[in-house]
Amino acid sequence: MSTVNIKIDGKEFAVKEGEFILNAARANDVFIPAICYLTRCSPTLACRICLVEADGKQVYACNAKVKDGMEITVDTPNILEERRAIMEVYDVNHPLQCGVCDKSGECELQNYTLELGVDSQSYMIPDTKRETKNWSSVLHYDAGLCIVCERCVTVCKDMIGDAAITTTKRGGEVLSKDYKNTMPKDAYSMWNKLQKSVIAPSNGTESTDCSDCGECAAVCPVGALVSRDFQYTSNAWDLKRIPAVSAHSSDGFQVYYEVKPTSIEDRSEKIFRVTNEWNYVSLDGAARFAYDFENRDVSRDKVAFKNAVEALKKAKTIRFNSVITNEEALMLQTLKEKMGVKLYNPEVRAFQKFLGYYQKASGNRFYTTDTDTLMKKSDFVISLGAALRNDSPGLKYAFNNVQKLNKGAGLYFHTISDKLISSFGKNVDSFIHKVGLEEAALYLVLDLFVDKDKLPEDVKEYIASFKSSKTKTIKEKVMKSVTETVTDEESGEEKEVTKKVPEMVEKEITVEVNGLVDLLGGDSEKFEDAFAKMMKKKESFSMMIGEDFYYHEKAENLAKLIALVEELSGIDVVMTPPKSNALGVALICDLDDNAEGYTVGYNENGDFKLSALGDGDLDMPAMNQQEGTLTNMSKRVVPTNAALEYGGYELNDLISVLIDGKKETINWTIELPTDKGYEAIQFDDLKNGYDNNGVENRGYLLKTLKSEVEQPSVEKFDESLALEGEVVYRCNPARQFSDFTDKAHEIFEPFGLYASSAKAKELGEKVEIVFENASITVDVIVDDKMEGNITKLSDFKSAKDIYSLFGESRYKTVTMRKV
Ligand code: SF4
Ligand code: SF4
Ligand code: FES
């Protein structure tokens, strides 16, 4: 990273080259007022309060970049006058309802009004009625409180990618012309815009129809956008913040559970909401709204505990999923080592095997990048094998953010077309291919991004075998000379005149055909030019790999192809662990391929069930009642804390009886396997936060390792293996990951078969899906962002045992019967 030297108010700082003044100041703990700007998003210049003087000129700190030797003054008399006027304008007609407003106590309007010393009002205008609206099951918008800073619009577009809200006409009173000449210029412009706008769903309806991530409400500086569920339930200052990790997707987002006693009568604590460090991390709907999945009112049931000990003693298999801490995973692994029990976790096993293939082929202990680095660095991103909108919120945000902030481009390879992904930018091209052609996609990546001279001879020849040329007849406009005889009107003489006239002629041309592009659903004739445009000025490339690859019949070959792409092109790779702590489980546990005999299920079905869902033979604490660590997609070991009390037994209690266990669960943290990249650090020594410049210092990063390996030799693919017919895909709706997400009350998406509108019409309301080994009857649900014939069957309810229906694949050909 190159740095430049600047001075702020006379003090020297070395700051990142190309950084906005505001971010450079924040990184060095210098305060510049700013309302509309969001780190990781593009500046909107809506508030204008970040005015500073740089080298003698007034600039907006959120939009002006640092230059070497720049001298910045944060406060000049003129700037202070502008800022004060801006704050006065924001306060004009702002409803005086702080006493009941959800934002009171953490409101930026309150804070800046005080900070900038606004104690009188110089401006006025008649107010106009502004409606309050419920935009979705989670969002409430009060236009009367809205200061039109556009943060909500910006985060939804630049970070989340849904672009579900926009500014729209308000019809407010027009400002008196006198103000234009008498008040500070920036304050006038800001006010003028404020009077004209409010925020509304961008689809022109009353509903956002979005992914309900709640980021818009999180970034709202005032009480204009709030969660409907939280509204009027608590003052901000009554809540205690517990730093934790979201239990749902494998992003392992940092969250704060905000708790206080349930009511005057019931003093047990309850989670009232989830908040986040929204400047540095964006949550998805599950992380933000699916928080109340705790196992409440549990006490120590000694009989059930004794039965659980006996069950574990005779167990041949323990079946579990990825909603488990690293420490618990280590306990189960220890149980396996000491008692010979099988560990069965089909959710993680395929991913674990895939990681192993990749490690062998690449010599890398882990994939080489993560979402945060990708967003900061990449300007070209390729996604393969992931239903990006459903599988991984973090990767979806990164794919979008690269388009919006880094002037990026993207290739999306999948079997199901997704209108949302295509809308992320004009340089996004989607390849919607047949199931089974994932290897072909990687061969195309090799073709497009690797210098031909570097390719192994057999791969080069194989790729060349897809290239051909063909002749094609096109119509072309040519200017043709036409000679006409004309008579001069005056003299009557005839003479010949030649002129040029346009004519369409047919012409044969030779065009290059890239069979791989066509095979993958593209159009090679158009693609070449489009790709050349996408590649302009691109320097940093990343590739996202999703769950489809782990369950692929040719998973090993896919892993080798990835390793080859990485080695020969320098493209960085990130993989999506399927859910929650899948990476931790994959690293810590030696998983088995099948279950046998008497089975103890941990949050899964079994002959004896340990459950944090309140439906088992022995209760266990849920993730929001536990201390411990998780290993997230970014290869970071992150600490989570118990937000709520739990009165029952924990896994550690069972392990202590069965083998020589530890006193507390967190005593296992220091024992996490160092040969897998973990560090011998005590739980209490793990940090949990972000620096002012956005550097994450939660827990620690796993230690990477690179060994020398031979270049992998890759196999050709077999086109005839592509699945045809009625194909079903195991895939959750975007806000559901597990039984825990489903249990939470605030956010709901049904279990069922998700289909494009056209397909849903064909299927009717309910279908029986017949697999090779069994069948299931489910409701058909329209997902209007999907296109095509493949349908998505949810797997988030463990009781439905969808993994058994799909076996070792993520796609199955089935028969559908209308019910
Ligand atoms: S709703 Fe909130 S974030 Fe959105 S423009 Fe209004 S004040 Fe800003
Ligand atoms: S909830 Fe998320 S997706 Fe929906 S409008 Fe807000 S930011 Fe956009
Ligand atoms: S923060 Fe710079 S214009 Fe709003």
Side-chain angles (χ1 to χ4, degrees):
M1 177 192 77
S2 37
T3 56
V4 293
N5 294 316
I6 59 167
K7 272 190 190 166
I8 307 180
D9 291 339
K11 249 177 128 178
E12 250 187 68
F13 300 101
V15 300
K16 234 196 292 175
E17 191 180 2
E19 187 71 282
F20 291 129
I21 294 172
L22 181 63
N23 286 338
R26 283 177 176 176
N28 289 290
D29 296 332
V30 176
F31 174 68
I32 298 175
I35 295 181
C36 69
Y37 179 71
L38 290 172
T39 322
R40 307 178 304 151
C41 294
S42 34
T44 52
L45 300 182
C47 78
R48 300 172 180 235
I49 206 164
C50 66
L51 266 180
V52 293
E53 198 174 274
D55 292 339
K57 274 199 221 143
Q58 272 187 204
V59 296
Y60 304 108
C62 69
N63 186 45
K65 292 187 173 167
V66 291
K67 285 193 199 127
D68 198 28
M70 192 180 246
E71 298 204 7
I72 297 153
T73 311
V74 176
D75 301 331
T76 66
N78 190 45
I79 286 171
L80 288 173
E81 197 189 325
E82 279 281 10
R83 284 201 202 123
R84 171 167 171 130
I86 288 169
M87 280 325 294
E88 279 191 46
V89 166
Y90 274 138
D91 289 332
V92 172
N93 294 337
H94 192 86
L96 286 176
Q97 59 182 55
C98 298
V100 292
C101 179
D102 290 302
K103 204 72 181 178
S104 197
E106 54 181 15
C107 169
E108 291 179 46
L109 190 70
Q110 283 178 340
N111 292 349
Y112 278 121
T113 300
L114 293 173
E115 174 76 29
L116 300 181
V118 178
D119 52 4
S120 60
Q121 182 57 270
S122 323
Y123 313 107
M124 62 183 139
I125 192 163
D127 201 1
T128 38
K129 185 169 165 53
R130 285 168 275 169
E131 302 282 341
T132 59
K133 302 255 163 76
N134 286 329
W135 284 343
S136 71
S137 58
V138 293
L139 296 174
H140 175 84
Y141 175 63
D142 186 337
L145 293 170
C146 177
I147 59 167
V148 200
C149 67
E150 295 181 43
R151 271 192 196 171
C152 52
V153 175
T154 309
V155 80
C156 190
K157 173 170 67 69
D158 286 359
M159 182 51 61
I160 308 305
D162 284 35
I165 43 180
T166 186
T167 48
T168 189
K169 278 193 191 139
R170 171 182 155 188
E173 288 281 328
V174 176
L175 294 190
S176 152
K177 287 250 160 46
D178 292 348
Y179 281 132
K180 187 165 190 180
N181 306 321
T182 54
M183 69 187 288
K185 175 167 105 356
D186 279 287
Y188 175 81
S189 307
M190 189 281 287
W191 194 11
N192 202 19
K193 194 166 165 236
L194 176 63
Q195 280 300 106
K196 289 179 183 161
S197 329
V198 283
I199 309 297
S202 39
N203 57 15
T205 72
E206 297 280 294
S207 149
T208 44
D209 183 26
C210 65
S211 56
D212 281 340
C213 65
E215 276 300 295
C216 49
V219 301
C220 182
V222 293
L225 249 180
V226 291
S227 142
R228 286 173 63 184
D229 199 65
F230 178 69
Q231 205 181 9
Y232 305 136
T233 57
S234 179
N235 292 316
W237 57 84
D238 284 335
L239 295 162
K240 193 167 69 188
R241 298 178 108 196
I242 314 291
V245 181
S246 161
H248 306 294
S249 79
S250 58
D251 296 292
F253 293 133
Q254 193 227 21
V255 294
Y256 293 107
Y257 289 121
E258 301 214 356
V259 302
K260 70 170 190 179
T262 306
S263 63
I264 293 173
E265 298 78 31
D266 180 357
R267 304 310 288 166
S268 67
E269 289 199 321
K270 177 181 144 182
I271 301 172
F272 275 72
R273 66 173 177 181
V274 161
T275 53
N276 61 318
E277 297 281 359
W278 43 260
N279 259 312
Y280 315 124
V281 62
S282 299
L283 302 185
D284 62 296
R288 182 175 305 283
F289 297 114
Y291 50 79
D292 56 338
F293 50 77
E294 66 275 5
N295 200 5
R296 264 186 117 80
D297 303 325
V298 173
S299 54
R300 294 198 153 206
D301 180 341
K302 287 192 177 141
V303 176
F305 182 76
K306 213 168 137 234
N307 292 340
V309 171
E310 292 312 311
L312 282 166
K313 275 185 189 161
K314 68 174 175 186
K316 291 275 178 269
T317 303
I318 297 175
R319 179 173 180 163
F320 63 112
N321 54 39
S322 52
V323 190
I324 177 173
T325 60
N326 291 325
E327 289 72 14
E328 288 180 302
L330 183 56
M331 290 177 210
L332 295 182
Q333 176 60 20
T334 312
L335 215 54
K336 174 171 186 164
E337 285 161 16
K338 302 254 161 113
M339 293 174 61
V341 66
K342 278 191 168 192
L343 296 183
Y344 183 56
N345 186 335
E347 193 173 280
V348 179
R349 178 63 179 141
F351 173 60
Q352 183 180 54
K353 280 199 214 166
F354 192 83
L355 258 188
Y357 298 142
Y358 168 76
Q359 284 164 347
K360 207 165 140 206
S362 67
N364 291 324
R365 184 189 265 162
F366 304 115
Y367 40 86
T368 43
T369 192
D370 56 75
T371 42
D372 200 35
T373 314
L374 200 151
M375 286 196 276
K376 284 188 184 133
K377 239 180 73 180
S378 281
D379 50 20
F380 201 117
V381 56
I382 309 157
S383 168
L384 300 121
L388 214 49
R389 179 165 55 92
N390 306 67
D391 289 354
S392 173
L395 287 187
K396 174 199 153 194
Y397 297 168
F399 192 108
N400 171 59
N401 195 249
V402 163
Q403 312 308 319
K404 304 284 168 45
L405 271 251
N406 305 354
K407 296 196 182 96
L411 291 176
Y412 180 64
F413 291 89
H414 203 251
T415 56
I416 303 174
S417 169
D418 192 316
K419 290 183 209 162
L420 188 73
I421 308 292
S422 321
S423 74
F424 285 171
K426 59 181 186 328
N427 279 331
V428 173
D429 204 346
S430 293
F431 280 88
I432 307 306
H433 59 79
K434 285 185 183 166
V435 180
L437 292 182
E438 290 73 12
E439 290 157 291
L442 281 170
Y443 272 107
L444 181 60
V445 172
L446 282 168
D447 180 31
L448 297 174
F449 296 93
V450 176
D451 184 349
K452 301 287 164 293
D453 298 336
K454 288 189 187 163
L455 285 171
E457 235 9 79
D458 58 332
V459 175
K460 190 155 94 181
E461 275 170 27
Y462 185 47
I463 290 175
S465 73
F466 291 95
K467 306 282 178 74
S468 60
S469 55
K470 65 175 184 190
T471 50
K472 190 179 156 188
T473 308
I474 58 161
K475 289 204 166 156
E476 197 179 60
K477 191 161 90 178
V478 292
M479 298 307 281
K480 205 175 157 194
S481 297
V482 180
T483 309
E484 289 174 354
T485 308
V486 291
T487 311
D488 189 296
E489 276 181 19
E490 277 181 21
S491 64
E493 266 180 41
E494 286 194 337
K495 59 177 179 185
E496 290 205 327
V497 180
T498 304
K499 58 180 181 182
K500 298 265 186 201
V501 290
E503 190 182 270
M504 295 306 285
V505 293
E506 289 197 338
K507 185 181 164 189
E508 290 223 318
I509 56 161
T510 306
V511 287
E512 300 301 321
V513 176
N514 187 340
L516 283 169
V517 170
D518 295 330
L519 185 66
L520 290 161
D523 179 344
S524 64
E525 282 180 35
K526 291 185 187 149
F527 181 69
E528 201 177 324
D529 287 346
F531 184 66
K533 223 172 106 201
M534 289 167 94
M535 286 292 276
K536 262 191 196 151
K537 296 193 185 154
K538 300 300 182 294
E539 287 171 355
S540 177
F541 301 81
S542 302
M543 192 158 80
M544 302 168 168
I545 303 296
E547 204 179 325
D548 298 8
F549 278 27
Y550 320 149
Y551 288 91
H552 200 281
E553 208 178 318
K554 303 281 292 299
E556 185 166 6
N557 198 40
L558 286 168
K560 287 179 180 174
L561 283 161
I562 293 167
L564 200 62
V565 169
E566 222 176 2
E567 182 196 330
L568 301 180
S569 67
I571 295 179
D572 292 329
V573 172
V574 56
M575 295 181 192
T576 339
K579 287 169 197 169
S580 195
N581 192 26
L583 181 57
V585 172
L587 294 174
I588 297 163
C589 295
D590 173 14
L591 298 175
D592 292 277
D593 283 323
N594 44 45
E596 62 171 27
Y598 188 84
T599 300
V600 172
Y602 184 12
N603 295 325
E604 288 284 333
N605 295 334
D607 299 304
F608 189 95
K609 190 168 180 184
L610 309 173
S611 177
L613 290 154
D615 62 348
D617 300 301
L618 178 71
D619 281 302
M620 290 278 118
M623 204 65 106
N624 55 8
Q625 296 168 302
Q626 288 203 55
E627 274 187 325
T629 59
L630 283 88
T631 313
N632 71 6
M633 175 159 46
S634 298
K635 300 162 283 178
R636 189 172 276 280
V637 184
V638 286
T640 192
N641 294 293
L644 301 172
E645 279 200 347
Y646 172 73
Y649 292 102
E650 301 186 2
L651 189 61
N652 187 48
D653 298 318
L654 290 165
I655 304 297
S656 298
V657 173
L658 290 162
I659 52 176
D660 187 18
K662 319 265 177 224
K663 201 165 159 236
E664 286 182 56
T665 296
I666 53 167
N667 297 137
W668 292 84
T669 311
I670 197 167
E671 309 271 342
L672 292 170
T674 48
D675 61 335
K676 301 286 172 63
Y678 289 92
E679 289 186 36
I681 302 182
Q682 296 281 8
F683 178 82
D684 289 336
D685 293 337
L686 296 174
K687 288 190 185 165
N688 201 350
Y690 292 82
D691 287 347
N692 260 359
N693 57 1
V695 172
E696 182 176 4
N697 45 36
R698 289 194 295 156
Y700 59 87
L701 281 169
L702 289 170
K703 277 204 179 117
T704 54
L705 191 73
K706 171 87 182 155
S707 346
E708 282 308 310
V709 288
E710 275 185 24
Q711 192 173 71
S713 121
V714 293
E715 286 172 22
K716 296 174 180 173
F717 62 89
D718 184 354
E719 204 184 317
S720 69
L721 292 179
L723 287 192
E724 302 283 353
E726 189 74 80
V727 177
V728 148
Y729 180 49
R730 181 179 53 70
C731 181
N732 282 322
R735 279 153 274 180
Q736 295 278 28
F737 292 88
S738 65
D739 288 312
F740 294 99
T741 330
D742 193 34
K743 186 180 174 187
H745 85 282
E746 196 175 343
I747 200 148
F748 176 74
E749 273 178 317
F751 179 91
L753 187 73
Y754 286 74
S756 66
S757 316
K759 183 72 182 175
K761 209 166 160 194
E762 180 194 319
L763 292 173
E765 285 180 4
K766 212 182 232 316
V767 282
E768 182 188 9
I769 313 169
V770 186
F771 289 78
E772 288 152 13
N773 48 357
S775 74
I776 185 169
T777 300
V778 287
D779 290 334
V780 176
I781 301 142
V782 177
D783 177 341
D784 57 13
K785 296 189 174 67
M786 281 172 74
E787 289 174 310
N789 271 329
I790 300 180
T791 46
K792 296 176 180 171
L793 180 62
S794 319
D795 69 30
F796 61 84
K797 279 186 192 288
S798 61
K800 304 273 184 189
D801 204 9
I802 299 300
Y803 281 87
S804 296
L805 294 174
F806 280 85
E808 296 196 351
S809 324
R810 203 178 169 190
Y811 294 92
K812 279 282 179 196
T813 32
V814 295
T815 306
M816 298 262 196
R817 293 192 193 128
K818 279 193 189 186
V819 176

